[in-house]
Amino acid sequence: MVEALKSVIFVGYNKKGQSLMYERNSVKIWCCIALAVLAMVYFLYEPTASSLYPKCIFLELTGYQCTGCGMQRAIHSLLHLRIAEAWDYNAYFVIVSPVLLLLFFSWLFQRPFPKLYACLTSQPFLWALGISAVLWWIGRNL
């Protein structure tokens, strides 16, 4: 019984002799911690009132908005549950943010939900996401 479980869970060892499963889990834990810290920073500090956040180089150079312009303000507004305000800043991000969160959580829990992870990382889905971002980029500058 124990050997059967080991064969399901076991993925190999790294050069230090640690299980590769340990390495994968520690990367996921650090990603969760980083996401939590970023969410806390975006929640506490408003992008319009703080110099902590970078300005868009594309907007500064060309005068046109990129796909991500307004995203920092939209994140701040979404974290404060001001959805209409977030929509005004970056409507594309408001639409895509649940998909991105689902993608992140499917990566975290890809073992119990392999089909969801496979669907969200499939080439057609990622192409559709990329093409929609480019169309948003063009459309918002017309």
Side-chain angles (χ1 to χ4, degrees):
M1 176 73 171
V2 175
E3 290 302 318
L5 285 174
K6 282 184 182 178
S7 66
V8 171
I9 297 172
F10 181 73
V11 229
Y13 290 108
N14 64 9
K15 293 178 183 175
K16 297 177 187 175
Q18 297 170 320
S19 168
L20 291 178
M21 183 61 75
Y22 169 79
E23 285 185 2
R24 287 184 192 160
N25 288 338
S26 63
V27 167
K28 290 178 180 182
I29 290 169
W30 282 110
C31 285
C32 288
I33 291 170
L35 186 65
V37 168
L38 282 173
M40 189 172 56
V41 168
Y42 275 107
F43 183 83
L44 294 175
Y45 301 103
E46 188 172 352
T48 55
S50 176
S51 62
L52 213 120
Y53 304 101
K55 302 289 184 208
C56 178
I57 296 171
F58 185 80
L59 180 65
E60 298 277 329
L61 293 175
T62 65
Y64 293 108
Q65 293 184 335
C66 72
T67 305
C69 280
M71 190 167 53
Q72 295 175 13
R73 292 171 288 169
I75 291 170
H76 178 78
S77 297
L78 284 174
L79 289 173
H80 286 275
L81 302 177
R82 297 188 301 245
I83 297 170
E85 186 178 306
W87 183 270
D88 290 338
Y89 289 133
N90 192 325
Y92 179 75
F93 181 73
V94 173
I95 293 169
V96 173
S97 59
V99 175
L100 296 176
L101 283 173
L102 188 61
L103 181 62
F104 179 73
F105 285 112
S106 72
W107 172 71
L108 280 178
F109 302 108
Q110 60 187 303
R111 269 198 112 125
F113 305 107
K115 289 182 181 178
L116 176 65
Y117 180 73
C119 176
L120 291 175
T121 57
S122 67
Q123 197 171 18
F125 184 81
L126 295 176
W127 270 101
L129 203 60
I131 289 170
S132 67
V134 171
L135 290 175
W136 169 250
W137 190 350
I138 294 168
R140 78 185 308 191
N141 288 304
L142 292 178

